[in-house]
Amino acid sequence: MAIDIKGNQPENFTSGPDTEDISAPSEDDVGTNGRDGIMSSSPMATDNSKGKGLLVKAMKILNWMPRRCRYDPENPPNFTLAMNILLAFSGTFTVANLYYAQPILNVLAEEFGVSYERASDIATLSQAGYAVGLLFLCPLADMVPRRPFILFLIWATATMWIGLCLTHNFEVFISLSFLCGVGTVTPQIMLPLVGDLVPAHRRASSLSVVVSGLALGLLIARVLSGIVANFTSWRNIYWIAFGAQYLTLILLFFFLPDYPSKNKGLNYFRVLWGMAVMVVTEPLLTQACIIGFLLSAAFTSFWTTLTFLLASPPYEYSSLEIGCFAFIGIVVVALAPFWSRLITDRFVFLFSVVLGLGFELVGIIISTFIGSFTVAGPIIHAIMMDSGANFTHTANRSNIYNLDPKARNRINTVYMVFAFGGQITGTAVGNRLYAQGGWVWSGSSNIAYIGVAILIAVVRGPRETGWIGWSGGWNLRRDDIKEREPGVLGNTDVEAAPQSPARLREEGHESEKQSPD
């Protein structure tokens, strides 16, 4: 698919086979201008022209989209409930790629004739690939049109997935697992797109639906993988995943709206450096990232050590019974949109962050001290932790997306890098503490994570512009909601928002010449 790395678009940008301004050259341009015109009389030039003509036709096919999906600056796409559900569905069966292998690592070890420790490299490399894609691919979404970028990544990942279904070589399997992990970052490109398409007064509730879809993907992958591998061949779950990815690709191809790139002439390496600069120049982003790190550490610590707890006395549950704990995530999927619509969309985002963290803290405390002798503890913990984490992540994202509408993918990348670091930390620390002191020790570390996160949240008020303080008042009601935000025309801002200092430094004199909308 044709992707313009610099994000250049004509002023009235549309896409499709009947537009003149597409990334590939037109047939009339091939072989008639410049050097091609000089060589057109030779047989070789004629063959080259035919080849280029075929390339042009292929590019037109790849760039084709239904008329209803084409971007019209006079009538920007409306973000409907059906579109919200479609993106949630897409996120579910895309992020699930990272988790199919986790419940069946023992089966994969036997299939490929390797040790359990070696088989664990499958899950590790999938996550490592995801981290690479997160850091190096997601920022590109601020520079290129996102529809072809998303479709290309899903197509590439789904196509490589065939190798996972067929190969009998372990080295090939783990290599493809890494590459598929790189391409599985499309949900992290969809989330900022939701932030662009949805008006401010509906942003949190719409984001929560997509975030719930990601949680559902984790649930479906683990449960479905365990069940299918238990009763049939493990390869069947990979074939099911392959079909789900191509179904997602087809649905998005026909229904995902086009959207022009929001930045012109950005340098990729400068963009990467700019993300590092954001962390030390944007107090709100730093606050959200630290909270996201601690929240993710507590989350992964719990779900990692829960397996050890339930497999040990007095429970001694089977792997299938332990896998059924993932169904608790359905509660989160059901509650999240209502919570976001009633609270996050109406009150300052910090209020939802603190409320979600407090909700989670109560569940962790209860589980830590009763979970060793009654299964009610882990159940309460799972419900309250999953719900609180969902509420907090949604509010954090909604908050930081307002920093710079033209840099939402980079901002989301910074946030997710911190969250991913928290996941790694939580897994390592949780396992070590559980091995040394059992459930109470690992649970106490989770209490500490969330306690520190609450302190980080309350030291800086929702309207504070500095690093610490509560300037701007204590009013919990949001005062920044607009009925409808203007759409994008060419390379203009998506919505009215002042440029942050970090953004001005990144874009240099071009940004300084622009006046805030």
Side-chain angles (χ1 to χ4, degrees):
M1 296 189 180
I3 298 175
D4 181 6
I5 291 297
K6 292 187 177 181
N8 296 324
Q9 302 289 355
E11 184 176 4
N12 294 319
F13 172 79
T14 56
S15 298
D18 55 351
T19 59
E20 295 181 358
D21 293 311
I22 59 174
S23 299
S26 66
E27 293 185 47
D28 294 336
D29 292 335
V30 179
T32 59
N33 296 320
R35 184 177 175 183
D36 290 335
I38 297 173
M39 299 177 62
S40 60
S41 59
S42 68
M44 183 177 296
T46 302
D47 293 339
N48 288 340
S49 297
K50 290 180 179 179
K52 290 181 180 179
L54 292 175
L55 177 62
V56 170
K57 291 179 180 179
M59 296 303 296
K60 286 185 176 180
I61 293 173
L62 290 175
N63 279 306
W64 183 86
M65 67 185 71
R67 188 172 298 276
R68 65 176 173 273
C69 296
R70 300 173 194 172
Y71 183 76
D72 181 2
E74 302 298 328
N75 184 27
N78 291 322
F79 192 82
T80 63
L81 177 61
M83 178 57 60
N84 208 169
I85 294 173
L86 173 61
L87 292 179
F89 172 87
S90 303
T92 296
F93 288 101
T94 304
V95 79
N97 293 346
L98 299 173
Y99 302 104
Y100 288 118
Q102 291 186 3
I104 58 171
L105 288 176
N106 58 327
V107 178
L108 294 174
E110 294 176 6
E111 170 72 18
F112 291 105
V114 298
S115 66
Y116 287 171
E117 182 179 5
R118 186 81 173 103
S120 66
D121 289 343
I122 298 171
T124 302
L125 285 174
S126 295
Q127 294 288 343
Y130 181 74
V132 169
L134 191 67
L135 187 57
F136 295 106
L137 290 184
C138 285
L140 284 172
D142 278 335
M143 305 165 63
V144 302
R146 276 166 289 183
R147 175 187 158 93
F149 191 35
I150 290 172
L151 294 179
F152 174 77
L153 287 177
I154 295 177
W155 171 80
T157 304
T159 303
M160 288 188 293
W161 196 267
I162 298 176
L164 294 175
C165 300
L166 297 175
T167 185
H168 292 274
N169 184 293
F170 183 73
E171 300 301 328
V172 172
F173 193 89
I174 60 175
S175 299
L176 288 175
S177 295
F178 174 83
L179 293 175
C180 288
V182 174
T184 301
V185 295
T186 46
Q188 300 305 328
I189 300 173
M190 293 176 187
L191 285 167
L193 179 61
V194 173
D196 288 339
L197 294 173
V198 182
H201 65 282
R202 289 178 45 214
R203 184 171 297 147
S205 55
S206 299
L207 282 172
S208 71
V209 173
V210 181
V211 172
S212 296
L214 304 187
L216 188 62
L218 186 152
L219 181 158
I220 288 177
R222 288 178 173 172
V223 173
L224 193 61
S225 182
I227 293 175
V228 171
N230 192 51
F231 295 104
T232 68
S233 168
W234 67 269
R235 292 187 186 272
N236 289 334
I237 187 60
Y238 276 81
W239 282 115
I240 291 172
F242 168 75
Q245 290 176 77
Y246 262 95
L247 175 61
T248 299
L249 177 64
I250 293 170
L251 290 174
L252 290 177
F253 183 82
F254 285 105
F255 296 104
L256 183 66
D258 190 25
Y259 207 75
S261 57
K262 300 184 295 181
N263 298 277
K264 182 178 180 180
L266 287 182
N267 179 276
Y268 176 66
F269 297 101
R270 191 174 179 182
V271 164
L272 295 179
W273 172 249
M275 291 192 298
V277 172
M278 284 182 188
V279 179
V280 296
T281 58
E282 296 287 358
L284 173 59
L285 180 59
T286 303
Q287 180 188 36
C289 286
I290 295 174
I291 293 172
F293 176 92
L294 296 167
L295 187 65
S296 298
F299 183 88
T300 55
S301 174
F302 165 70
W303 282 105
T304 301
T305 56
L306 178 65
T307 302
F308 303 142
L309 175 70
L310 297 180
S312 305
Y315 306 113
E316 298 183 332
Y317 290 163
S318 68
S319 57
L320 185 59
E321 291 171 319
I322 295 173
C324 287
F325 257 72
F327 281 113
I328 293 172
I330 295 176
V331 177
V332 180
V333 174
L335 287 179
F338 296 102
W339 171 289
S340 297
R341 193 62 181 268
L342 295 174
I343 298 177
T344 311
D345 275 337
R346 298 184 179 185
F347 298 93
V348 293
F349 297 120
L350 184 63
F351 178 67
S352 288
V353 170
V354 175
L355 209 57
L357 290 172
F359 193 67
E360 189 169 345
L361 182 62
V362 171
I364 296 174
I365 292 174
I366 293 173
S367 174
T368 298
F369 297 106
I370 72 170
S372 299
F373 55 86
T374 174
V375 75
I379 291 175
I380 293 172
H381 190 158
I383 293 174
M384 299 187 76
M385 167 166 274
D386 282 12
S387 301
N390 187 292
F391 304 153
T392 304
H393 280 310
T394 299
N396 265 340
R397 279 194 173 97
S398 300
N399 205 3
I400 61 179
Y401 285 174
N402 290 329
L403 281 173
D404 188 347
K406 295 176 72 176
R408 281 185 176 137
N409 284 280
R410 282 164 283 168
I411 290 170
N412 187 71
T413 296
V414 173
Y415 182 75
M416 285 306 302
V417 166
F418 272 80
F420 191 80
Q423 292 175 15
I424 296 174
T425 302
T427 300
V429 174
N431 287 342
R432 177 64 61 88
L433 290 177
Y434 187 90
Q436 294 181 350
W439 181 251
V440 174
W441 278 36
S442 63
S444 298
S445 70
N446 295 337
I447 293 174
Y449 289 139
I450 302 303
V452 174
I454 292 175
L455 292 177
I456 297 295
V458 299
V459 297
R460 185 179 180 278
R463 298 174 182 84
E464 174 62 50
T465 57
W467 291 92
I468 297 177
W470 276 75
S471 63
W474 295 73
N475 184 19
L476 297 180
R477 283 281 182 179
R478 291 179 59 185
D479 51 16
D480 62 338
I481 297 178
K482 301 173 183 177
E483 287 299 319
R484 179 73 178 174
E485 298 170 50
V488 177
L489 179 61
N491 289 296
T492 58
D493 283 339
V494 177
E495 56 193 273
Q499 296 289 340
S500 64
R503 176 66 176 175
L504 290 174
R505 279 190 293 272
E506 182 182 343
E507 293 192 348
H509 67 276
E510 291 185 5
S511 293
E512 291 173 0
K513 291 179 181 179
Q514 298 175 357
S515 60
D517 291 341

